[in-house]
Amino acid sequence: MASQPRRGGVSLPERPNHSKSDQSLSLITKISRSPIVSRGKQAAGDASFVAKKLLKSTGKAAWIAGTTFLILVVPLIIEMDREQQFNEIELQQASILGTAAVAPPQSAK
């Protein structure tokens, strides 16, 4: 930059070698290399590892619970609904025909 001639405009003074930014940069470097910061980084890394493992195992457990529910409980609910509909149709037919139909005992839910 010094070898080229300056053409008009405002010229700024040359920067000294040791400016405030160099001092703050060295301070940042000292702080980032301190044992407290390294322990904090280690703790954050450990926490993220545990969180990932927990989420992964929770997802697996949710998958197992969901598929078990679909395989075992949903067909049971469907069958109970069919039985209820069948009992209602029986009562309707009995009332139309005029016969005394005995209502099936209500199961406790």
Side-chain angles (χ1 to χ4, degrees):
M1 214 165 133
S3 62
Q4 295 179 353
R6 295 185 182 176
R7 300 178 189 160
V10 178
S11 63
L12 297 174
E14 295 292 326
R15 285 185 168 175
N17 287 341
H18 299 288
S19 66
K20 284 188 177 183
S21 64
D22 290 341
Q23 291 172 355
S24 65
L25 200 62
S26 66
L27 179 63
I28 290 172
T29 305
K30 285 180 184 177
I31 291 172
S32 65
R33 291 181 182 167
S34 74
I36 294 173
V37 172
S38 64
R39 278 190 232 132
K41 286 181 182 179
Q42 182 67 33
D46 292 346
S48 68
F49 176 75
V50 169
K52 285 179 187 176
K53 289 285 249 187
L54 182 64
L55 285 174
K56 196 173 187 179
S57 63
T58 302
K60 287 180 182 179
W63 172 256
I64 291 170
T67 53
T68 302
F69 180 79
L70 285 175
I71 292 171
L72 298 177
V73 179
V74 171
L76 177 66
I77 292 171
I78 292 171
E79 186 59 36
M80 289 172 59
D81 187 46
R82 281 184 187 164
E83 185 178 345
Q84 181 68 30
Q85 287 176 356
F86 179 73
N87 290 339
E88 288 174 4
I89 291 172
E90 249 183 5
L91 285 175
Q92 285 176 355
Q93 287 177 350
S95 67
I96 291 172
L97 295 174
T99 60
V102 177
Q106 296 290 329
S107 61
K109 292 183 180 179

